[in-house]
Amino acid sequence: MKKMPFLLSTLLITAALAGCAEKETSSQPVEAAQEPIDLQEEVGAYKEFAIEQMNEFVLETEKFTEAVKSGDMEKAKELYPLARMYFERSEPIAESFGDLDPRIDARLADIQEAGQGEEDWSGYHKIEYGLWEESTTEGYAEVADQLLMDTKELRARVETVDVTPDLMMTGAVDLLNEVSTSKITGEEEIYSHTDLYDFQANIEGAEKIFRILEPEITAKDQTLTENLEAKFEALYALLDEHRIGENGFVSYEELTAEDTKQLSEAVNQLGEPLSQMGIIME
């Protein structure tokens, strides 16, 4: 669930203000206004990506909720982080629906911060609490049913989203904000400690937006493209150090302070050039 962005949004605002200041002090002749870039093809490609992710999210959530309802604790724990990755990759779209996002992805702290009680809590993190904190699936059948219904409603409503270039570029930065504010701190998955799965998915979601826009970005600033590619590669290399098996990651609790520091720095180093995408595409 989206938290208040801080560092990367600050970078974006700072970069924008720097651009304004530069315009105010420049003595160069004013260039003729450029034609707006037509990004309809890119917008369509991103919506197609989001729909693909949501299709898989529904399928994997169905498997997860079936495991919960059948009392298969180990299977439910195995599926939990993998199913959530589809949601995390397409979170800029999912968060367009302010009512559904908290029903699917709110932590108890989010509910309490909104002035609600534990009885209002639903979704993935409530079941996470049952699986890892209470070590049971008993009493979670209704929560599982509601989660699957909410997931299917989200998939249906994605068709109605008005995807814009601004949503894409802001979304890429917001995904890194998600990593900075909750994944790198271990606050997102406080019971399962599967934060690195969400971390990887958020980065993949941001990279997807970059890849869709890459030809236009390269046409305007090839150095920026090269910088982004290098920063993504460096961040993935750090994440790979914490992989186990084909699709897994170690528990967040196994990370050292130095590990989280390195990951945090790599995220921040990626955030600065990523925030430049929106500026050069204006």
Side-chain angles (χ1 to χ4, degrees):
M1 183 179 174
K2 186 175 183 178
K3 296 181 68 179
M4 289 296 290
F6 65 113
L7 176 58
L8 297 174
S9 289
T10 302
L11 286 170
L12 183 57
I13 293 168
T14 303
L17 290 175
C20 291
E22 187 175 325
K23 289 176 185 175
E24 289 173 0
T25 58
S26 173
S27 60
Q28 298 298 317
V30 177
E31 296 181 0
Q34 296 183 356
E35 289 292 323
I37 304 171
D38 182 359
L39 295 175
Q40 286 310 301
E41 186 177 338
E42 287 81 359
V43 164
Y46 185 60
K47 189 165 185 176
E48 183 179 346
F49 164 75
I51 288 172
E52 289 172 356
Q53 292 298 304
M54 284 297 115
N55 285 340
E56 293 299 319
F57 184 50
V58 171
L59 291 173
E60 295 305 309
T61 298
E62 190 160 15
K63 295 176 187 174
F64 171 68
T65 54
E66 283 175 358
V68 171
K69 292 172 67 176
S70 67
D72 190 340
M73 288 272 296
E74 291 308 309
K75 190 66 176 176
K77 285 184 173 182
E78 175 188 334
L79 292 171
Y80 172 85
L82 300 175
R84 286 181 48 75
M85 291 181 79
Y86 296 102
F87 180 85
E88 297 286 342
R89 288 191 193 98
S90 53
E91 208 157 6
I93 296 287
E95 288 180 342
S96 299
F97 307 106
D99 55 338
L100 272 174
D101 180 48
R103 276 157 48 190
I104 293 172
D105 194 38
R107 303 165 306 146
L108 180 57
D110 299 320
I111 295 295
Q112 292 170 335
E113 196 173 296
Q116 297 176 294
E118 190 170 346
E119 67 278 7
D120 300 308
W121 192 21
S122 63
Y124 263 98
H125 290 304
K126 181 158 186 171
I127 298 176
E128 178 199 7
Y129 177 81
L131 292 173
W132 276 274
E133 194 71 8
E134 296 184 320
S135 297
T136 186
T137 58
E138 289 186 19
Y140 286 90
E142 288 186 14
V143 182
D145 284 339
Q146 185 62 52
L147 172 60
L148 184 56
M149 284 193 289
D150 289 340
T151 301
K152 289 180 177 178
E153 183 180 343
L154 175 63
R155 165 61 187 89
R157 288 169 66 177
V158 165
E159 300 280 356
T160 69
V161 172
D162 181 21
V163 177
T164 64
D166 182 63
L167 182 148
M168 293 173 63
M169 289 179 272
T170 303
V173 175
D174 283 348
L175 282 166
L176 260 69
N177 279 327
E178 284 280 322
V179 175
S180 294
T181 56
S182 58
K183 277 71 175 188
I184 197 62
T185 61
E187 295 177 40
E188 181 76 13
E189 309 286 357
I190 59 172
Y191 310 116
S192 64
H193 306 295
T194 54
D195 302 87
L196 290 183
Y197 292 79
D198 299 348
F199 191 129
Q200 170 90 14
N202 282 159
I203 299 302
E204 290 173 343
E207 186 191 10
K208 182 64 179 180
I209 293 171
F210 161 58
R211 293 299 179 192
I212 290 173
L213 296 171
E214 184 179 352
E216 293 290 346
I217 295 169
T218 302
K220 285 182 167 290
D221 190 342
Q222 185 166 352
T223 301
L224 179 58
T225 293
E226 293 169 355
N227 192 13
L228 281 164
E229 287 182 336
K231 295 298 190 297
F232 273 116
E233 185 177 345
L235 186 48
Y236 284 133
L238 277 177
L239 276 170
D240 285 346
E241 294 178 9
H242 307 292
R243 283 189 179 277
I244 50 171
E246 187 175 350
N247 299 314
F249 287 97
V250 300
S251 166
Y252 179 84
E253 290 187 311
E254 294 186 29
L255 299 182
T256 65
E258 182 61 25
D259 291 334
T260 56
K261 179 185 176 186
Q262 289 179 354
L263 288 166
S264 181
E265 288 176 351
V267 169
N268 290 337
Q269 288 170 8
L270 172 60
E272 195 280 330
L274 200 66
S275 69
Q276 294 292 321
M277 287 196 313
I279 295 171
I280 71 163
M281 300 291 273
E282 287 178 347

